[in-house]
Amino acid sequence: MGADADAAASSANDAAAPASSSAPEVVDVTIHPLVLLSATDHYHRVARGTRKRAVGVLLGSATRGHVDATNSFAVPFEEDSKNASVFYLDHNYLENMLAMFRKVHANERVVGFYSTGPQIRPNDLRIHEIVRRFVPAGTAVPPVFVIVDVRSGRESIPTTAYRVVEEVDSNVPRGGGDGSGSGGGAAEVRKSFAHVPSLIGAMEVEEVGVEHLLRDINDPTVTTVANLVKAKLSGLSTLTEKLVEMKDYLTAVAEGRMKANAEIIANMQAIVNLLPNLNVEELVRSMLVKNNDMQMVIYLSALIRCVIALHDLVLNKIAYNDEIGDGLGDVKEEKAEKSDAGEEKKEDDGDSKAKGKANSTKRSS
């Protein structure tokens, strides 16, 4: 970015610093499918196969700390890979696009910006200050920063949301005029990103569109059983993460590092009460019988599949041998016909020679 943009960002930062301290905290961020599709398309158009990232602006609404990002658009962005402090963000393009979006969707405003990350970079705080200039005046909820992970193979939700927080660092040394360094430390306000819960939400119209879009996506190499197993594994991994989180919370409460929340503990108790008692002998026996039956069906299915495959292999071998055998038989018949023709020719030559000798003897006599 140029010096003018840096100066404008710093001035906007200084002007908005007092307001940010009284601004309400962001409770959560809801990302709609259109934002995910737009960010993915943006990345594949400008940064696929490179180490670059795509940056865009999030549009939507915010109410009582709940940010709802319903739309987005891409912004021209470049950054120097060698010098992290050098980047370019076309804020003129951003302003023009925002004006056109307001003509179509008057209720949507700037609620933050997104990046394909997949991690936070040093320039993100400066980009946040630039985007903050386009937030309407009088807005209580500050803009958020969302990382959209476009990498394939991700099992959890592909979004991670952050908000900017101010931290006071009082350990900065204050230099005296005599060079002795006396006078203690000067308080300095530093900004950093703090994690915010992110959700994937959709309206009814968006759900219908997503269903039609996923209907056209079909991978013939992946079977239905493989999809079911993958879904089971994903569910079990998510359950493990939630159980570990509950354990860490209860441990922190027991050690006094966190205050006990009656609502959270009541929800945990309700979850525990819904779990079946696995120590009942009848239940254990029924589960073992069911498991044995399922394993027997799987074993018989694998055995039948193996027998059918061997049978098909034998049939293919027989058919192949028949084809090769017929070809060799034809060659042998052709060779036999040629040899018979040669013998007949030799016999004809012998007969003609014998007749010629007889005629010559008759003439001599």
Side-chain angles (χ1 to χ4, degrees), residues 243-317:
L243 292 176
V244 171
E245 186 177 356
M246 293 169 60
K247 172 182 171 295
D248 295 339
Y249 173 76
L250 294 176
T251 303
V253 171
E255 294 177 354
R257 292 184 285 108
M258 294 183 65
K259 294 182 179 180
N261 190 320
E263 184 178 358
I264 296 176
I265 295 177
N267 290 333
M268 291 184 180
Q269 186 64 41
I271 293 172
V272 173
N273 292 335
L274 292 175
L275 295 176
N277 186 8
L278 300 179
N279 296 325
V280 181
E281 183 178 358
E282 183 178 357
L283 179 60
V284 173
R285 181 177 178 81
S286 61
M287 290 184 66
L288 290 175
V289 172
K290 184 68 174 178
N291 187 27
N292 291 336
D293 293 341
M294 293 178 64
Q295 295 295 333
M296 178 60 71
V297 171
I298 294 173
Y299 173 73
L300 291 177
S301 301
L303 187 62
I304 293 172
R305 190 185 304 113
C306 181
V307 171
I308 293 174
L310 290 174
H311 183 68
D312 293 338
L313 180 62
V314 171
L315 291 179
N316 291 335
K317 188 69 175 177

Side-chain angles (χ1 to χ4, degrees), residues 141-161:
V141 181
V144 296
F145 170 44
V146 178
I147 293 180
V148 181
D149 194 348
V150 297
R151 295 175 297 180
S152 59
R154 185 183 177 96
E155 296 182 356
S156 59
I157 62 174
T159 58
T160 308

Side-chain angles (χ1 to χ4, degrees), residues 60-73:
S61 60
T63 307
R64 295 180 181 179
H66 300 278
V67 179
D68 200 19
T70 57
N71 203 350
S72 66
F73 63 88

Side-chain angles (χ1 to χ4, degrees), residues 185-227:
E188 181 181 353
V189 178
R190 294 182 178 180
K191 293 185 178 182
S192 61
F193 285 110
H195 179 72
V196 177
S198 61
L199 308 172
I200 301 297
M203 294 180 289
E204 185 177 358
V205 178
E206 294 175 327
E207 292 179 356
V208 174
V210 171
E211 290 178 359
H212 282 282
L213 180 63
L214 294 178
R215 189 177 301 173
D216 297 333
I217 301 176
N218 183 21
D219 190 357
T221 61
V222 179
T223 61
T224 306
V225 178
N227 289 330

Side-chain angles (χ1 to χ4, degrees), residues 2 19 33 54 80 83 115 157 164 247 310 317 321 335 346 348:
D80 192 354
N83 189 356
S115 168
I157 62 174
V164 174
K247 172 182 171 295
L310 290 174
K317 188 69 175 177
N321 291 334
K335 289 183 178 180
K346 289 181 180 179
D348 294 339

